[in-house]
Amino acid sequence: MNSNPATPMNANAPSSSSGGAGSPDSTAPRRNSKRPKYSRFTQQELPACKPILTPKWVISAFMLVTIVFIPIGLASLFASRDVVEIIDRYDNACVQGSKSQKVQYIQSNASKTCTRTLTVTKRMKQPIYVYYQLDNYYQNHRRYVKSRSDQQLRNRGDENDTSSCKPEHNANGMPIVPCGLVAWSLFNDTYAFSISNNQSLPVNKRHISWKSDREDKFGSDVFPKNFQNGSLIGGAHLNESIPLSEQEDLIVWMRTAALPTFRKLYGKIEVDIQAGETITVVLENNYNTYSFSGKKKLVLSTTSWLGGKNNFIGIAYLAVGGLCFILATTFTLIYLVKPRHLGDPNYLSWNRNPGGH
């Protein structure tokens, strides 16, 4: 019998020399750690600016926005006001009758010539941009947008690449160049202008498209082929002796619009037109918008340093500047009538209601 009352030591218990944490034994295996390497960046200890939004800073910020935005808004409105714009809707004026009668007329072989008269109320400085505007025309329809072949438009050797152009991919067993619904529906109304003394106003149609489109998206060695030779004619015909890179009406049309109401550039009039002059427009009303209740408009417009007529930008700047001015004035009155000192502990909820009720 063991006279020592001490309990025998368990042989499996860890000893101080077993290499545990804090042990100086260098032969013990070291435990892997996922702790990232210390840096002031990872521990977010870099110097930082933490501004305190005092009433003076907030009021000053609102006043700064007011001082900047209101002059910009006024300048934008004045620039838009200087733009002279004439808009004439001619689809209903050139064709009378019910919808079915209009569709029947536009699809017939009858003469589509129509004469319109426009009055210039303010002097129009050159260049005067001529646009056609279409309403209720969804060029952004998925099937319509995808019905084209960019490879075919760019490279002469890819004229057979028409798989994405259906249903306007071939005619009489031959590929169509350019293929697809977008090219097939090319706008084909034409306009001729003259002023009151029968002086003709020539329309310059060069460089009306984007330079990047002419040089990069439409090949200079790609020519129209078998175009509008099917049973159903969609729009304008193309001159087969002119490469696609020079067919600027087509290039402008092929840049599809995102909204159902859009304008596309037809050309430029490069002479001044004085106030009071009468412009006579002889147009060919060929394009069928009557089937889908669309609208056609002729637009003559000058430009300013801000572009065409657009009041929205000026109104938006004035609205934001005015709102900031109202807020700055309101905060100033509150600060003067009922000032509040920063860091005052009396405004803490537990100090205002010590009992918690």
Side-chain angles (χ1 to χ4, degrees), residues 35-46:
R35 178 188 299 176
K37 184 180 179 181
Y38 172 81
S39 69
R40 298 184 67 187
F41 176 76
T42 59
Q43 298 303 315
Q44 300 185 14
E45 295 178 356
L46 293 174

Side-chain angles (χ1 to χ4, degrees), residues 150-169:
D150 291 325
Q151 285 295 115
Q152 185 200 63
L153 296 173
R154 189 182 303 114
N155 301 316
R156 183 176 183 179
D158 292 325
E159 69 175 29
N160 293 319
D161 184 12
T162 60
S163 58
S164 61
C165 293
K166 296 179 180 179
E168 294 298 324
H169 59 295

